[in-house]
Amino acid sequence: MILFCAFEQMQYYIELGKRYGFKHYIPLIFRKNFSAQVLKANMKIVGNCEYGLVLYKDKLPKFNNDGQMIFNCFDWVRDGNDIPKIHPTQKPVALLRRLIEIFTDRGDVIIDPCAGSGSSLYAAASCGRRAYGFEIKKDFYKLSNEKMLSRIEQTLF
């Protein structure tokens, strides 16, 4: 399981994961070349990272790495104009695609319980994976279907 979270939330989710059988974890760091802390630009240091965890049970998750070393730090490259911006915490499709390629095989199923913009579903489809997403906000669900998921048929089929 991959979980995006704030740095301060990592320990909480590690402990919560252990309660549900996810005994092990790998911390992930997503390095941006920009910062959301623009109002603090007069400070010497501003945050430019997002964080996440790979939570797993007993055995190490699969890695599709073609013999390459996989670091726990990934570059966060913004989506281009071809990917619609729908949600304020939308993750870049290229980053999601890379994570999906590393941790899953073609034909695997991806589940996103907080699908928001649908970018994870789009990334999964572009990697040959089936995906299911859930979203409680009707506005995001509607925009996701109209602007993101409609692209799957246009670009992939």
Side-chain angles (χ1 to χ4, degrees):
M1 172 190 320
I2 297 176
L3 171 75
F4 287 87
C5 61
F7 179 78
E8 296 81 8
Q9 295 173 313
M10 291 177 88
Q11 194 58 45
Y12 168 77
Y13 286 119
I14 290 167
E15 296 303 320
L16 188 62
K18 286 179 183 176
R19 253 196 277 168
Y20 291 95
F22 293 93
K23 303 174 193 171
H24 310 282
Y25 67 93
I26 301 168
L28 300 175
I29 301 166
F30 304 101
R31 185 181 48 228
K32 299 177 179 181
N33 64 354
F34 62 96
S35 176
Q37 298 176 327
V38 293
L39 296 177
K40 298 179 181 179
N42 60 339
M43 296 172 59
K44 297 285 185 211
I45 298 173
V46 293
N48 73 326
C49 293
E50 290 212 18
Y51 301 89
L53 293 165
V54 174
L55 299 170
Y56 60 100
K57 294 192 175 194
D58 295 317
K59 62 180 200 172
L60 202 58
K62 65 177 112 181
F63 293 99
N64 295 315
N65 60 350
D66 298 321
Q68 302 286 325
M69 188 178 297
I70 298 174
F71 296 103
N72 71 331
C73 188
F74 295 83
D75 286 327
W76 181 289
V77 180
R78 293 183 195 194
D79 286 328
N81 292 335
D82 58 320
I83 303 292
K85 177 73 170 157
I86 297 169
H87 195 279
T89 62
Q90 183 169 323
K91 309 301 183 264
V93 171
L95 174 65
L96 295 170
R97 207 180 275 138
R98 179 70 180 127
L99 293 170
I100 290 166
E101 288 170 345
I102 291 171
F103 294 109
T104 67
D105 293 323
R106 282 190 159 281
D108 280 355
V109 177
I110 308 301
I111 298 174
D112 187 347
C114 304
S117 67
S119 58
S120 60
L121 308 177
Y122 179 72
S126 70
C127 292
R129 277 62 162 180
R130 292 174 295 152
Y132 298 94
F134 307 90
E135 180 55 50
I136 61 172
K137 301 279 187 175
K138 291 179 183 176
D139 291 344
F140 290 132
Y141 171 79
K142 184 178 179 207
L143 287 171
S144 172
N145 277 314
E146 288 173 6
K147 295 186 175 188
M148 184 70 72
L149 301 181
S150 64
R151 299 173 49 74
I152 292 172
E153 292 177 6
Q154 296 169 4
T155 36
L156 303 179
F157 304 109

